[in-house]
mmCIF file of all heavy atoms in Angstrom:
data_model
loop_
_atom_site.group_PDB
_atom_site.id
_atom_site.type_symbol
_atom_site.label_atom_id
_atom_site.label_comp_id
_atom_site.label_asym_id
_atom_site.label_seq_id
_atom_site.Cartn_x
_atom_site.Cartn_y
_atom_site.Cartn_z
ATOM 1 N N SER A 1 -2.281 11.335 11.651
ATOM 2 C CA SER A 1 -2.368 10.153 10.812
ATOM 3 C C SER A 1 -1.290 10.174 9.726
ATOM 4 O O SER A 1 -0.814 11.216 9.282
ATOM 5 C CB SER A 1 -3.742 10.060 10.139
ATOM 6 O OG SER A 1 -4.731 9.838 11.124
ATOM 7 N N PHE A 2 -0.925 8.961 9.252
ATOM 8 C CA PHE A 2 0.215 8.743 8.375
ATOM 9 C C PHE A 2 -0.321 8.125 7.078
ATOM 10 O O PHE A 2 -0.956 7.083 7.094
ATOM 11 C CB PHE A 2 1.160 7.775 9.095
ATOM 12 C CG PHE A 2 2.442 7.415 8.427
ATOM 13 C CD1 PHE A 2 2.809 7.909 7.174
ATOM 14 C CD2 PHE A 2 3.317 6.533 9.060
ATOM 15 C CE1 PHE A 2 4.008 7.567 6.592
ATOM 16 C CE2 PHE A 2 4.508 6.157 8.489
ATOM 17 C CZ PHE A 2 4.873 6.667 7.258
ATOM 18 N N TYR A 3 -0.103 8.824 5.949
ATOM 19 C CA TYR A 3 -0.610 8.392 4.636
ATOM 20 C C TYR A 3 0.521 8.251 3.642
ATOM 21 O O TYR A 3 1.421 9.115 3.583
ATOM 22 C CB TYR A 3 -1.635 9.386 4.090
ATOM 23 C CG TYR A 3 -2.796 9.695 5.011
ATOM 24 C CD1 TYR A 3 -2.726 10.778 5.900
ATOM 25 C CD2 TYR A 3 -3.938 8.914 4.984
ATOM 26 C CE1 TYR A 3 -3.803 11.058 6.746
ATOM 27 C CE2 TYR A 3 -5.023 9.203 5.841
ATOM 28 C CZ TYR A 3 -4.920 10.273 6.695
ATOM 29 O OH TYR A 3 -5.993 10.552 7.545
ATOM 30 N N VAL A 4 0.473 7.191 2.849
ATOM 31 C CA VAL A 4 1.535 6.900 1.863
ATOM 32 C C VAL A 4 0.917 6.765 0.461
ATOM 33 O O VAL A 4 -0.125 6.115 0.313
ATOM 34 C CB VAL A 4 2.271 5.602 2.228
ATOM 35 C CG1 VAL A 4 3.031 5.045 1.033
ATOM 36 C CG2 VAL A 4 3.270 5.839 3.362
ATOM 37 N N SER A 5 1.554 7.359 -0.538
ATOM 38 C CA SER A 5 1.200 7.109 -1.925
ATOM 39 C C SER A 5 2.094 5.998 -2.466
ATOM 40 O O SER A 5 3.313 6.005 -2.211
ATOM 41 C CB SER A 5 1.374 8.380 -2.773
ATOM 42 O OG SER A 5 2.700 8.774 -2.815
ATOM 43 N N GLU A 6 1.525 5.049 -3.182
ATOM 44 C CA GLU A 6 2.294 3.863 -3.595
ATOM 45 C C GLU A 6 1.996 3.476 -5.032
ATOM 46 O O GLU A 6 0.856 3.379 -5.434
ATOM 47 C CB GLU A 6 1.998 2.710 -2.659
ATOM 48 C CG GLU A 6 2.880 1.506 -2.887
ATOM 49 C CD GLU A 6 2.880 0.522 -1.749
ATOM 50 O OE1 GLU A 6 2.449 0.902 -0.631
ATOM 51 O OE2 GLU A 6 3.278 -0.632 -1.947
ATOM 52 N N ASN A 7 3.076 3.247 -5.789
ATOM 53 C CA ASN A 7 2.978 2.853 -7.179
ATOM 54 C C ASN A 7 2.784 1.343 -7.339
ATOM 55 O O ASN A 7 3.495 0.552 -6.747
ATOM 56 C CB ASN A 7 4.246 3.239 -7.960
ATOM 57 C CG ASN A 7 4.551 4.702 -7.895
ATOM 58 O OD1 ASN A 7 5.696 5.105 -7.829
ATOM 59 N ND2 ASN A 7 3.534 5.558 -7.874
ATOM 60 N N GLY A 8 1.770 0.963 -8.133
ATOM 61 C CA GLY A 8 1.534 -0.434 -8.422
ATOM 62 C C GLY A 8 2.363 -0.932 -9.589
ATOM 63 O O GLY A 8 3.077 -0.167 -10.254
ATOM 64 N N LEU A 9 2.237 -2.217 -9.858
ATOM 65 C CA LEU A 9 2.997 -2.849 -10.947
ATOM 66 C C LEU A 9 2.337 -2.626 -12.293
ATOM 67 O O LEU A 9 2.921 -2.040 -13.213
ATOM 68 C CB LEU A 9 3.166 -4.360 -10.695
ATOM 69 C CG LEU A 9 3.778 -5.179 -11.806
ATOM 70 C CD1 LEU A 9 5.207 -4.709 -12.128
ATOM 71 C CD2 LEU A 9 3.801 -6.665 -11.435
ATOM 72 N N SER A 10 1.093 -3.070 -12.426
ATOM 73 C CA SER A 10 0.426 -2.965 -13.714
ATOM 74 C C SER A 10 -1.082 -2.742 -13.616
ATOM 75 O O SER A 10 -1.729 -2.533 -14.616
ATOM 76 C CB SER A 10 0.686 -4.229 -14.542
ATOM 77 O OG SER A 10 0.208 -5.384 -13.862
ATOM 78 N N ALA A 11 -1.634 -2.827 -12.392
ATOM 79 C CA ALA A 11 -3.081 -2.749 -12.273
ATOM 80 C C ALA A 11 -3.564 -1.655 -11.342
ATOM 81 O O ALA A 11 -4.605 -1.044 -11.609
ATOM 82 C CB ALA A 11 -3.643 -4.104 -11.786
ATOM 83 N N TRP A 12 -2.847 -1.368 -10.236
ATOM 84 C CA TRP A 12 -3.396 -0.469 -9.225
ATOM 85 C C TRP A 12 -2.343 0.399 -8.577
ATOM 86 O O TRP A 12 -1.339 -0.136 -8.058
ATOM 87 C CB TRP A 12 -4.122 -1.282 -8.123
ATOM 88 C CG TRP A 12 -5.199 -2.172 -8.640
ATOM 89 C CD1 TRP A 12 -5.098 -3.520 -8.860
ATOM 90 C CD2 TRP A 12 -6.521 -1.783 -9.046
ATOM 91 N NE1 TRP A 12 -6.275 -3.996 -9.358
ATOM 92 C CE2 TRP A 12 -7.170 -2.955 -9.501
ATOM 93 C CE3 TRP A 12 -7.189 -0.583 -9.069
ATOM 94 C CZ2 TRP A 12 -8.486 -2.938 -9.946
ATOM 95 C CZ3 TRP A 12 -8.513 -0.547 -9.527
ATOM 96 C CH2 TRP A 12 -9.144 -1.734 -9.946
ATOM 97 N N ASP A 13 -2.537 1.717 -8.602
ATOM 98 C CA ASP A 13 -1.841 2.629 -7.677
ATOM 99 C C ASP A 13 -2.723 2.774 -6.446
ATOM 100 O O ASP A 13 -3.959 2.547 -6.515
ATOM 101 C CB ASP A 13 -1.634 3.991 -8.326
ATOM 102 C CG ASP A 13 -0.474 4.027 -9.327
ATOM 103 O OD1 ASP A 13 0.298 3.057 -9.363
ATOM 104 O OD2 ASP A 13 -0.381 5.011 -10.059
ATOM 105 N N GLU A 14 -2.130 3.174 -5.330
ATOM 106 C CA GLU A 14 -2.945 3.216 -4.121
ATOM 107 C C GLU A 14 -2.435 4.223 -3.108
ATOM 108 O O GLU A 14 -1.288 4.704 -3.187
ATOM 109 C CB GLU A 14 -2.946 1.825 -3.450
ATOM 110 C CG GLU A 14 -1.560 1.257 -3.139
ATOM 111 C CD GLU A 14 -1.621 -0.223 -2.773
ATOM 112 O OE1 GLU A 14 -2.168 -1.019 -3.521
ATOM 113 O OE2 GLU A 14 -1.109 -0.549 -1.683
ATOM 114 N N VAL A 15 -3.311 4.581 -2.149
ATOM 115 C CA VAL A 15 -2.938 5.330 -0.973
ATOM 116 C C VAL A 15 -3.232 4.438 0.236
ATOM 117 O O VAL A 15 -4.301 3.870 0.347
ATOM 118 C CB VAL A 15 -3.705 6.645 -0.850
ATOM 119 C CG1 VAL A 15 -3.553 7.259 0.531
ATOM 120 C CG2 VAL A 15 -3.227 7.638 -1.915
ATOM 121 N N ASN A 16 -2.244 4.334 1.117
ATOM 122 C CA ASN A 16 -2.374 3.551 2.340
ATOM 123 C C ASN A 16 -2.325 4.462 3.558
ATOM 124 O O ASN A 16 -1.617 5.443 3.590
ATOM 125 C CB ASN A 16 -1.250 2.538 2.434
ATOM 126 C CG ASN A 16 -1.401 1.416 1.416
ATOM 127 O OD1 ASN A 16 -2.331 0.626 1.506
ATOM 128 N ND2 ASN A 16 -0.484 1.363 0.435
ATOM 129 N N MET A 17 -3.119 4.076 4.565
ATOM 130 C CA MET A 17 -3.035 4.715 5.878
ATOM 131 C C MET A 17 -2.184 3.799 6.745
ATOM 132 O O MET A 17 -2.530 2.632 6.961
ATOM 133 C CB MET A 17 -4.409 4.922 6.467
ATOM 134 C CG MET A 17 -4.426 5.727 7.741
ATOM 135 S SD MET A 17 -6.119 6.089 8.281
ATOM 136 C CE MET A 17 -5.791 7.129 9.695
ATOM 137 N N ILE A 18 -1.075 4.323 7.236
ATOM 138 C CA ILE A 18 -0.032 3.481 7.851
ATOM 139 C C ILE A 18 -0.200 3.365 9.361
ATOM 140 O O ILE A 18 -0.429 4.386 10.068
ATOM 141 C CB ILE A 18 1.355 4.070 7.518
ATOM 142 C CG1 ILE A 18 1.546 4.169 5.999
ATOM 143 C CG2 ILE A 18 2.442 3.186 8.132
ATOM 144 C CD1 ILE A 18 1.395 2.841 5.253
ATOM 145 N N HIS A 19 -0.072 2.154 9.839
ATOM 146 C CA HIS A 19 -0.042 1.843 11.284
ATOM 147 C C HIS A 19 1.198 1.038 11.592
ATOM 148 O O HIS A 19 1.649 0.225 10.787
ATOM 149 C CB HIS A 19 -1.286 1.063 11.690
ATOM 150 C CG HIS A 19 -2.570 1.753 11.383
ATOM 151 N ND1 HIS A 19 -3.103 2.749 12.181
ATOM 152 C CD2 HIS A 19 -3.417 1.639 10.318
ATOM 153 C CE1 HIS A 19 -4.224 3.210 11.649
ATOM 154 N NE2 HIS A 19 -4.446 2.533 10.525
ATOM 155 N N ALA A 20 1.766 1.262 12.760
ATOM 156 C CA ALA A 20 3.031 0.641 13.136
ATOM 157 C C ALA A 20 2.931 -0.895 13.062
ATOM 158 O O ALA A 20 1.999 -1.483 13.575
ATOM 159 C CB ALA A 20 3.429 1.078 14.544
ATOM 160 N N GLY A 21 3.947 -1.482 12.418
ATOM 161 C CA GLY A 21 4.059 -2.939 12.388
ATOM 162 C C GLY A 21 3.163 -3.663 11.429
ATOM 163 O O GLY A 21 3.161 -4.907 11.398
ATOM 164 N N LYS A 22 2.405 -2.962 10.608
ATOM 165 C CA LYS A 22 1.425 -3.607 9.741
ATOM 166 C C LYS A 22 1.987 -3.931 8.351
ATOM 167 O O LYS A 22 2.924 -3.299 7.871
ATOM 168 C CB LYS A 22 0.166 -2.747 9.602
ATOM 169 C CG LYS A 22 -0.565 -2.511 10.924
ATOM 170 C CD LYS A 22 -0.972 -3.809 11.575
ATOM 171 C CE LYS A 22 -1.768 -3.545 12.855
ATOM 172 N NZ LYS A 22 -2.182 -4.824 13.509
ATOM 173 N N ASN A 23 1.360 -4.929 7.723
ATOM 174 C CA ASN A 23 1.700 -5.409 6.392
ATOM 175 C C ASN A 23 0.723 -4.811 5.385
ATOM 176 O O ASN A 23 -0.495 -4.883 5.571
ATOM 177 C CB ASN A 23 1.626 -6.946 6.377
ATOM 178 C CG ASN A 23 1.614 -7.531 4.969
ATOM 179 O OD1 ASN A 23 2.197 -6.972 4.047
ATOM 180 N ND2 ASN A 23 0.935 -8.654 4.819
ATOM 181 N N TYR A 24 1.260 -4.228 4.274
ATOM 182 C CA TYR A 24 0.403 -3.580 3.293
ATOM 183 C C TYR A 24 0.333 -4.344 1.960
ATOM 184 O O TYR A 24 -0.048 -3.758 0.945
ATOM 185 C CB TYR A 24 0.831 -2.105 3.145
ATOM 186 C CG TYR A 24 0.402 -1.356 4.376
ATOM 187 C CD1 TYR A 24 1.209 -1.339 5.507
ATOM 188 C CD2 TYR A 24 -0.868 -0.779 4.459
ATOM 189 C CE1 TYR A 24 0.775 -0.749 6.684
ATOM 190 C CE2 TYR A 24 -1.304 -0.190 5.636
ATOM 191 C CZ TYR A 24 -0.487 -0.163 6.733
ATOM 192 O OH TYR A 24 -0.928 0.409 7.893
ATOM 193 N N GLY A 25 0.653 -5.629 2.043
ATOM 194 C CA GLY A 25 0.217 -6.533 0.976
ATOM 195 C C GLY A 25 1.148 -6.908 -0.139
ATOM 196 O O GLY A 25 1.057 -7.996 -0.696
ATOM 197 N N TRP A 26 2.063 -5.987 -0.545
ATOM 198 C CA TRP A 26 2.921 -6.320 -1.665
ATOM 199 C C TRP A 26 3.934 -7.385 -1.235
ATOM 200 O O TRP A 26 4.463 -7.313 -0.150
ATOM 201 C CB TRP A 26 3.632 -5.044 -2.153
ATOM 202 C CG TRP A 26 4.522 -5.294 -3.332
ATOM 203 C CD1 TRP A 26 5.887 -5.324 -3.342
ATOM 204 C CD2 TRP A 26 4.112 -5.551 -4.672
ATOM 205 N NE1 TRP A 26 6.359 -5.581 -4.586
ATOM 206 C CE2 TRP A 26 5.288 -5.740 -5.433
ATOM 207 C CE3 TRP A 26 2.883 -5.658 -5.300
ATOM 208 C CZ2 TRP A 26 5.255 -6.031 -6.783
ATOM 209 C CZ3 TRP A 26 2.845 -5.928 -6.651
ATOM 210 C CH2 TRP A 26 4.023 -6.112 -7.367
ATOM 211 N N ASN A 27 4.231 -8.437 -2.069
ATOM 212 C CA ASN A 27 3.730 -8.506 -3.428
ATOM 213 C C ASN A 27 2.697 -9.630 -3.634
ATOM 214 O O ASN A 27 2.479 -10.067 -4.762
ATOM 215 C CB ASN A 27 4.872 -8.638 -4.437
ATOM 216 C CG ASN A 27 5.535 -10.017 -4.415
ATOM 217 O OD1 ASN A 27 5.356 -10.829 -3.509
ATOM 218 N ND2 ASN A 27 6.348 -10.285 -5.398
ATOM 219 N N GLU A 28 2.047 -9.998 -2.547
ATOM 220 C CA GLU A 28 0.911 -10.896 -2.693
ATOM 221 C C GLU A 28 -0.260 -10.162 -3.346
ATOM 222 O O GLU A 28 -1.000 -10.716 -4.164
ATOM 223 C CB GLU A 28 0.437 -11.415 -1.325
ATOM 224 C CG GLU A 28 1.369 -12.464 -0.722
ATOM 225 C CD GLU A 28 1.106 -13.856 -1.279
ATOM 226 O OE1 GLU A 28 0.150 -14.012 -2.058
ATOM 227 O OE2 GLU A 28 1.890 -14.760 -0.950
ATOM 228 N N CYS A 29 -0.408 -8.881 -2.993
ATOM 229 C CA CYS A 29 -1.571 -8.120 -3.439
ATOM 230 C C CYS A 29 -1.160 -6.768 -3.993
ATOM 231 O O CYS A 29 -0.138 -6.194 -3.586
ATOM 232 C CB CYS A 29 -2.546 -7.933 -2.270
ATOM 233 S SG CYS A 29 -3.124 -9.492 -1.551
ATOM 234 N N GLU A 30 -2.025 -6.265 -4.840
ATOM 235 C CA GLU A 30 -1.863 -4.943 -5.451
ATOM 236 C C GLU A 30 -3.227 -4.294 -5.473
ATOM 237 O O GLU A 30 -4.167 -4.876 -6.010
ATOM 238 C CB GLU A 30 -1.291 -5.084 -6.865
ATOM 239 C CG GLU A 30 -1.054 -3.787 -7.569
ATOM 240 C CD GLU A 30 -0.520 -4.005 -8.972
ATOM 241 O OE1 GLU A 30 -0.024 -5.117 -9.287
ATOM 242 O OE2 GLU A 30 -0.629 -3.075 -9.809
#
């Protein structure tokens, strides 16, 4: 499995589990 640590703008830091070809939301979502 593939895991990413990601810095947010002002409200949320996050960890994502990555799958090929998927969208992880920025910058619509944080």
Side-chain angles (χ1 to χ4, degrees):
S1 294
F2 183 0
Y3 305 92
V4 161
S5 64
E6 187 164 343
N7 302 144
L9 173 61
S10 59
W12 304 101
D13 283 348
E14 56 192 55
V15 167
N16 289 293
M17 187 173 184
I18 304 301
H19 302 279
K22 298 301 183 181
N23 165 31
Y24 288 85
W26 181 254
N27 72 346
E28 286 279 353
C29 302
E30 181 181 342

